[in-house]
Amino acid sequence: MSLPTIDHRGPEFAALGLKVLADMQKIFQTRHPVMIYPASGTGAWEAALVNTLSPGDHVLMYETGHFAFLWNKLATRLGLKTEVLSLPGTDKGVPASWRRGVQADLIEERLKADTGHAIRAVCVVHNETSTGVTSNIAAVRKAIDAAGHPALLLVDTISGLASADYRHEEWGVDVSISGSQKGLMLPPGISFNALSPKAIAASKTATLPKAFWAWDEIIEMNKTGYWPSTPNTNLLYALSEAADIILGQGLEVVFARHQRWAAGVRAAVHAWGLPTQCADTSVASPILTGVIMPEGVDADAVRKLIYERFDCSLGTGLGKIKGRMFRIGHLGDINDLTLIAAVAGCEMGLKLAGVQPAGSGVQTLMDHFAAHPAAHAAAAVPLRKAA
Ligand code: PLP
């Protein structure tokens, strides 16, 4: 990233542009165009909507957590008519729908009732970063097809891509949205839209205002490895390196590594006797685990203590679940030992906050790693290139 910034209109640049575009197609698992924006994930959320929809279009959203909630808010501000499908009921102050993945059958039922095909798009989040719950995207596609409905499928995989299994083309997603700062192990500042031919066709007639985000000029210029406006060249250097690491290891190896970390952290949380935010292990996130605090314990006070005493920064509860839970991230450029250290920080912090763990999460995690050797030893697939 600290290499000199080359001229983004010069001849050298095209090789970099074409390489990262091809790499991202491999990571999204698609043959179709991938847009790369110099923006955070929120920009790519907006890009997906303004390229495919028109003012007042009816969009079906599913609230699995805070990021689904925020995407809905953004869509409303753009002038879309959103409808939120969510499960009723709460579980000790935690909304039920924020503890489980998308129920595709509810989407199918709603689309079947939409006989006039007013709903133009279905928006779902693949990995809810606020809760640590994933959703079965292939099942959502099947539900849309079973309803015989033409709605587009837009999927936020901002924190899912390059950590959890994700297949843009095979799963029939029309626009996949992602960002640089999660599984790609980069600083924030680039985000993506992976497109389907149906999404590209929709963009030709969609009338929400767009200029910077418009796919047409980007697709045209990307053919030769350039962008219409200034790309963040240094982050593209880093993206190229990250893609070499991820594709060099193989996506399957990357996905298995995150699943193994996640299973270990869940076992540690359960050893403490605490519930995970995700109530359905079959959709538990490979990327992060939410830990629900006992009644009356402020999760943010526990986080603050762990940060101040042990220099370990945990994710806060967001939106409706602020103060009820905290999040342990287990993605990207970490290893077994850094994760054991993070869990040790949590365990010490819980005790200092007066939450007596039922058992040792640290010991459980160490036992888990010892009993489940990584399919590929770190030395065989280094996360860092030799200098
Ligand atoms: N969607 C999800 C699932 C996220 O995790 C995030 C950020 O963490 C966003 C959307 C928003 O992206 P950004 O903060 O990069 O604009």
Side-chain angles (χ1 to χ4, degrees):
M1 264 195 310
S2 49
L3 289 172
T5 309
I6 56 171
D7 174 11
H8 62 273
R9 305 277 175 222
E12 278 172 273
F13 185 86
L16 172 68
L18 291 172
K19 177 182 183 298
V20 290
L21 288 164
D23 286 344
M24 288 315 298
Q25 285 178 314
K26 289 182 198 138
I27 291 175
F28 275 106
Q29 303 196 43
T30 179
R31 290 164 301 163
H32 302 298
V34 176
M35 305 293 98
I36 303 181
Y37 293 108
S40 82
T42 304
W45 260 351
E46 179 160 336
L49 298 174
V50 296
N51 275 285
T52 53
L53 298 166
S54 300
D57 272 357
H58 189 156
V59 176
L60 187 65
M61 302 208 131
Y62 195 113
E63 191 179 302
T64 44
H66 190 61
F67 287 103
F69 167 83
L70 290 179
W71 197 11
N72 174 47
K73 194 170 130 199
L74 180 143
T76 308
R77 289 185 70 145
L78 289 172
L80 295 166
K81 184 174 157 243
T82 65
E83 171 186 337
V84 180
L85 254 190
S86 69
L87 297 181
T90 59
D91 176 7
K92 293 186 184 156
V94 178
S97 58
W98 285 31
R99 296 198 68 193
R100 296 178 186 280
V102 167
Q103 271 185 248
D105 55 326
L106 295 183
I107 293 182
E108 182 177 332
E109 211 174 281
R110 179 64 191 92
L111 292 178
K112 277 186 174 153
D114 180 36
T115 48
H117 295 169
I119 296 171
R120 306 305 299 264
V122 174
C123 295
V124 291
V125 175
H126 171 226
N127 182 68
E128 241 308 341
T129 325
S130 63
T131 60
V133 181
T134 60
S135 283
N136 184 337
I137 303 303
V140 176
R141 173 80 264 164
K142 272 200 198 116
I144 298 173
D145 293 348
H149 201 287
L152 293 164
L153 173 58
L154 313 186
V155 178
D156 169 342
T157 184
I158 286 181
S159 59
L161 192 76
S163 301
D165 190 9
Y166 192 81
R167 307 175 204 176
H168 173 82
E169 196 172 340
E170 185 186 321
W171 292 350
V173 180
D174 291 301
V175 188
S176 295
I177 298 138
S178 196
S180 54
Q181 74 271 30
K182 304 280 194 322
L184 292 169
M185 305 177 284
L186 305 180
I190 32 185
S191 54
F192 310 91
N193 277 178
L195 316 182
S196 73
K198 188 173 160 188
I200 296 172
S203 73
K204 309 238 187 272
T205 52
T207 60
L208 271 174
K210 59 191 159 293
F212 177 74
W213 304 115
W215 293 339
D216 53 357
E217 289 181 1
I218 302 175
I219 291 175
E220 212 32 54
M221 286 204 66
N222 278 177
K223 287 181 184 160
T224 52
Y226 296 95
W227 274 266
S229 57
T230 306
N232 36 15
T233 305
N234 295 60
L235 274 176
L236 298 182
Y237 295 151
L239 180 61
S240 171
E241 294 297 313
D244 285 350
I245 294 166
I246 291 164
L247 296 169
Q249 292 180 352
L251 290 172
E252 291 306 322
V253 172
V254 173
F255 302 152
R257 180 170 65 241
H258 288 82
Q259 287 288 3
R260 176 175 167 276
W261 284 331
V265 171
R266 281 197 304 276
V269 175
H270 292 144
W272 291 331
L274 295 172
T276 54
Q277 173 73 29
C278 182
D280 174 2
T281 308
S282 71
V283 288
S285 171
I287 288 130
L288 76 144
T289 300
V291 186
I292 300 181
M293 289 295 94
E295 282 303 327
V297 176
D298 177 4
D300 282 336
V302 179
R303 280 179 58 244
K304 185 166 180 280
L305 205 152
I306 295 168
Y307 180 69
E308 288 174 357
R309 291 286 297 267
F310 308 118
D311 195 17
C312 175
S313 184
L314 298 160
T316 183
L318 292 165
K320 292 186 203 177
I321 50 179
K322 185 158 180 57
R324 294 289 300 119
M325 56 84 88
F326 64 77
R327 296 171 294 149
I328 303 173
H330 31 83
L331 75 160
D333 186 7
I334 58 166
N335 63 31
D336 290 2
L337 299 184
T338 52
L339 200 49
I340 290 168
V343 167
C346 294
E347 191 162 315
M348 289 188 287
L350 285 168
K351 283 184 190 163
L352 287 168
V355 181
Q356 205 43 245
S360 173
V362 179
Q363 188 60 56
T364 304
L365 185 59
M366 292 194 298
D367 292 346
H368 175 86
F369 286 152
H372 301 90
H376 293 255
V381 278
L383 272 173
R384 291 170 199 81
K385 279 186 178 174

